[in-house]
Amino acid sequence: MTAPGAADTERSTLAKAADENFPVAPFFLPRDWREDLVAVYGFARLVDDIGDGDLAPGGADARLLGVPAAEAGDRLVLLDAFEADLRRVFDGTPRHPLLRRLQPAVRRRSLTPEPFLALIAANRQDQLVTRYETYDDLLAYCELSANPVGRLVLAVTGTTTPERVRRSDAVCTALQIVEHLQDVAEDLGRDRVYLPATDMKRFHVQEADLAAPTAGASVRALVAFEARRAADLLDEGAPLVGSVHGRLRLLLAGFVAGGRAALHAIAAAHHDVLPGPPKPGKLRLLREVGTTLRGEG
């Protein structure tokens, strides 16, 4: 029997796929791929929601994970409980419906715990590390927070090779950086800054500048600099698209195009990300998909 609130929390988490910069499980994919990719997304979205304190009100997720009401606000406790439930995916029966949804995918695709554990580790890190001194430090964080998702996509579709993993990591890190650029103001509200401190010093940007209603020239220059880094990573990873065929090629083109379209939206806003996340339109996204499929840009 489904626990009270279980269906609602599952639906509300999966509904967030529509707001992502990249397609999660588009209709043109084989049904079994779609089911497994949605299951992977549900895991990744929920662990991020736990780490960000964005769980649905009412504490349904905490109850499903067996966390007492008195500890439901402790993100590290919730992440520990989530990890314990993840381990039941591989050896037992998980409690949370999103992890029960994940279990068939894990078995069907012979997925290992490591990428899932990395995503949990990234969210633990978010509770303890709120600033990054260097770009290399940020890349190490992305190795936990973003790259496992691309590796899971390759595993689900049975297309993993060392070279594809390398290209995928570049795309996923780029997408993570783009998201950080879109969410500078929101992240600051959570007392997190994902702009490397050394870069902020180089462009003479103080944290107080990030709290302004609109960005000054120094902040815009910094955002443009980080956006160029993300664009270079997308270009490095783009050959991944041409290394596969059929509908998977279109899916991976959507990932790269989503990042490029978001970067175009940031540039169109003159790199002023502080009023809110610049979002690309559908027409721009379609153009970028076409460009990526042709191997241009």
Side-chain angles (χ1 to χ4, degrees):
M1 179 180 295
T2 303
D8 289 341
T9 190
E10 184 177 15
R11 280 194 298 268
S12 65
T13 299
L14 294 178
K16 296 179 181 181
D19 297 327
E20 303 290 353
N21 282 331
F22 51 86
V24 171
F27 70 94
F28 56 78
L29 294 178
R31 181 177 177 179
D32 61 329
W33 282 11
R34 293 201 311 271
E35 290 176 352
D36 292 349
L37 290 172
V38 166
V40 167
Y41 173 78
F43 172 91
R45 182 69 268 164
L46 182 55
V47 73
D48 279 353
D49 285 350
I50 293 172
D52 290 342
D54 286 342
L55 294 179
D61 291 290
R63 290 195 301 274
L64 289 165
L65 293 171
V67 175
E71 297 181 286
D74 189 322
R75 298 178 195 178
L76 288 173
V77 170
L78 284 167
L79 288 168
D80 286 346
F82 193 59
E83 178 177 332
D85 212 29
L86 169 67
R87 294 188 184 279
R88 294 185 194 102
V89 170
F90 294 89
D91 183 19
T93 302
R95 296 171 173 173
H96 199 286
L98 286 170
L99 292 179
R100 289 199 295 272
R101 177 188 285 262
L102 181 63
Q103 193 168 45
V106 164
R107 291 173 175 172
R108 183 159 48 228
R109 310 297 177 184
S110 300
L111 303 180
T112 64
E114 284 72 24
F116 300 104
L117 291 170
L119 293 172
I120 294 174
N123 280 275
R124 282 203 184 95
Q125 184 165 314
D126 276 334
Q127 312 314 309
L128 305 171
V129 179
T130 60
R131 305 292 189 275
Y132 291 85
E133 183 64 23
T134 68
Y135 182 60
D136 285 343
D137 292 337
L138 185 64
L139 292 181
Y141 169 72
C142 293
E143 180 69 20
L144 295 175
S145 67
N147 299 359
V149 176
R151 296 181 183 201
L152 284 166
V153 170
L154 294 176
V156 165
T157 57
T159 54
T160 301
T161 67
E163 178 63 10
R164 286 179 181 143
V165 167
R166 186 178 74 82
R167 300 288 188 181
S168 172
D169 285 354
V171 171
C172 290
T173 291
L175 292 175
Q176 180 76 87
I177 292 172
V178 170
E179 183 177 334
H180 289 330
L181 294 178
Q182 290 175 310
D183 294 341
V184 167
E186 179 181 332
D187 288 335
L188 186 64
R190 302 180 192 274
D191 191 29
R192 297 178 188 167
V193 177
Y194 294 102
L195 299 167
T198 52
D199 296 341
M200 291 177 64
K201 292 174 186 175
R202 173 181 174 182
F203 286 92
H204 308 289
V205 172
Q206 305 291 325
E207 283 194 23
D209 298 326
L210 305 180
T214 59
S218 295
V219 172
R220 292 176 193 234
L222 171 60
V223 171
F225 176 73
E226 304 299 350
R228 182 67 256 167
R229 279 175 157 169
D232 289 344
L233 283 168
L234 285 173
D235 290 346
E236 180 185 339
L240 172 67
V241 176
S243 76
V244 299
H245 304 284
R247 288 174 282 188
L248 178 58
R249 187 165 178 257
L250 184 55
L251 175 69
L252 298 183
F255 292 160
V256 175
R260 287 174 168 166
L263 287 172
H264 182 271
I266 290 171
H270 305 289
H271 299 99
D272 184 3
V273 297
L274 299 187
K279 294 288 187 178
K282 290 184 179 179
L283 181 58
R284 185 71 203 190
L285 177 59
L286 289 173
R287 287 175 179 169
E288 293 292 354
V289 169
T291 298
T292 302
L293 286 171
R294 292 191 299 271
E296 302 171 1

